[in-house]
Every structure is written in structure tokens, then in C-alpha cells.
């Protein structure tokens, strides 16, 4: 009898600031019926006390340890995790391996909220930072993979909310009321599943 289950595909889910890998458990459960094996690295420190480039190197090391080198995979980043994912893609040769990249409420152009903390990662997430200028200088490189950005105009953590817009790929604007709800909203989860399918 033929097995009708979809083949297993790997997706790496990257959490945001002050989050843990557990914050992406609902997304993992949502993607499993679609045939995805979700990996959720725990990046430390999750306060962004260290730089996002350093956290991206942790992500690279996690991927190298858990995804066979010849296996393509998909990447989803929430909030700060989307910037970590972009650094991995654009600066650590991730474009060579990733098929699809989904960013959810990611401050691609910075957030004024990042001025509230003086740590290195938050300084990198401020509007006009050298870190963001560097990534946005060659953002078109992301067109080498399928890119989807999802954001809400009601986001009070990404200020202004339109900072989550990405000039590459497909954009979905959703009416979710709070930043953290983006990881639990059924519409968002369905968009992610469709984007990866």
C-alpha cells in the first residue's frame, strides 16, 4: 500500500527578543500535519545583550549540527528572529541552503522601541543603525529564495509598524492587535503554512 503522507521537510523557527524556543511550539504543531519537521533553536542570550550577528552565528551552528549539509530547508523568523535569519541568509551563506524565508513582525527598518534598552542587539535594531543599513543595502539578494513578510499595522513593538515591510517577495498585512499574538493567530499560522507549501 502506497504511503500518502507528505514527505518530511525541515523548517527552522527563530524566536524573538525575550522569547524562548517554546514560544514557537504552536507554530510547530500547526506545521506538522503539512509534513514539516520544525526545529526551534534556543538562542542565548535572548535579551539581545549580544549582537544579532553573534546570535546569527549561533543559528548557523545549530543548523549545521541539526540539518544535513545537502538538505535544503525553510526559515521562519519572528520579530528579532527575522533579522537574525536575514543575517544568516545574507552574511553567513544561508542563501545557498534555504528555499523559503518568512519574516513575521520583523523590524526590517528598525523600531523606536529599541531605544529603550542600551544593549548591543537593541542598538542594532534602532532605525538607521549600521547593522540595518548593511542588511538593507543588498536586500535584493533575498530574491534568490522565496520571501514572505507578514505584519500588522497595530504592532506597538515595531514602531512604526510599517518598518516590518520588506521590499522583496510577497507581503501579507493582517489585522492582529498585538505583536505577541502574531505567533498564535490562526490566520498568520495559515499564511506561514501556505508560504512554505
Amino acid at each position: 500500500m502506497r504511503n500518502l503522507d507528505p514527505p518530511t521537510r525541515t523548517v527552522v523557527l527563530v524566536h524573538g527578543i525575550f522569547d524562548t524556543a517554546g514560544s514557537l511550539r504552536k507554530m510547530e504543531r500547526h506545521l506538522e500535519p503539512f509534513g514539516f519537521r520544525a526545529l526551534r533553536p534556543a538562542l542565548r542570550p535572548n535579551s539581545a545583550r549580544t549582537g544579532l550577528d553573534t546570535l546569527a552565528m549561533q543559528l548557523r551552528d545549530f543548523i549545521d549540527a541539526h540539518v544535513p549539509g545537502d538538505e535544503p530547508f525553510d526559515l521562519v523568523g519572528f520579530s528579532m528572529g527575522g533579522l537574525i535569519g536575514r543575517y544568516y541568509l545574507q552574511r553567513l551563506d544561508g542563501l545557498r541552503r534555504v528555499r523559503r524565508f518568512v519574516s513575521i513582525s520583523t523590524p526590517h527598518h528598525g523600531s523606536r522601541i529599541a531605544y529603550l534598552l542600551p544593549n548591543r542587539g537593541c542598538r542594532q535594531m534602532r532605525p538607521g543603525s549600521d547593522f540595518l543599513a548593511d542588511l538593507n543595502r543588498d536586500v535584493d539578494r533575498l530574491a534568490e529564495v522565496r520571501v514572505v513578510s507578514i505584519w500588522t499595522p497595530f504592532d506597538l513593538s515595531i514602531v512604526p509598524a510599517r518598518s516590518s515591510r520588506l521590499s522583496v517577495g510577497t507581503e501579507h498585512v493582517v489585522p492582529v492587535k498585538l505583536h505577541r499574538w502574531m505567533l498564535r493567530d490562526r490566520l498568520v499560522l495559515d499564511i506561514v503554512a501556505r508560504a512554505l507549501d
Side-chain angles (χ1 to χ4, degrees), residues 101 139-140 142-150 165-172:
F101 171 59
V139 66
D140 292 344
L142 292 177
E144 295 176 30
V145 301
R146 182 176 178 192
V147 176
V148 174
S149 59
I150 308 167
R165 300 188 78 178
L166 198 54
S167 62
V168 176
T170 304
E171 174 183 82
H172 294 273

Side-chain angles (χ1 to χ4, degrees), residues 45-178:
N46 66 351
S47 64
R49 188 174 69 243
T50 187
L52 305 190
D53 46 339
T54 301
L55 295 174
M57 287 186 269
Q58 284 183 35
L59 174 63
R60 177 200 57 200
D61 294 346
F62 176 91
I63 289 167
D64 289 348
H66 293 88
V67 184
D70 59 346
E71 179 186 328
F73 63 94
D74 299 320
L75 185 63
V76 177
F78 170 65
S79 194
M80 176 183 77
L83 292 177
I84 294 167
R86 280 188 61 191
Y87 194 90
Y88 169 73
L89 289 166
Q90 293 175 245
R91 299 292 174 261
L92 300 177
D93 204 27
L95 288 170
R96 181 179 55 81
R97 300 193 57 193
V98 171
R99 293 178 300 191
R100 299 168 188 87
F101 171 59
V102 179
S103 72
I104 304 169
S105 290
T106 295
H108 295 294
H109 304 281
S111 174
R112 293 183 194 129
I113 298 297
Y115 285 102
L116 296 177
L117 291 174
N119 59 35
R120 183 168 179 241
C122 286
R123 290 195 305 271
Q124 290 175 325
M125 289 189 280
R126 293 173 183 171
S129 73
D130 290 343
F131 179 85
L132 292 175
D134 176 61
L135 286 183
N136 289 326
R137 190 173 298 116
D138 62 353
V139 66
D140 292 344
R141 290 189 65 210
L142 292 177
E144 295 176 30
V145 301
R146 182 176 178 192
V147 176
V148 174
S149 59
I150 308 167
W151 64 282
T152 173
F154 305 110
D155 204 321
L156 297 178
S157 294
I158 310 299
V159 179
R162 68 181 179 277
S163 178
S164 290
R165 300 188 78 178
L166 198 54
S167 62
V168 176
T170 304
E171 174 183 82
H172 294 273
V173 183
V174 295
V176 177
K177 299 299 183 188
L178 292 174

Side-chain angles (χ1 to χ4, degrees), residues 5-11 32 34-38 71-72 99:
D5 290 335
T8 300
R9 298 171 291 176
T10 299
V11 57
E32 283 172 351
F34 294 90
F36 284 99
R37 172 182 75 117
E71 179 186 328
R99 293 178 300 191

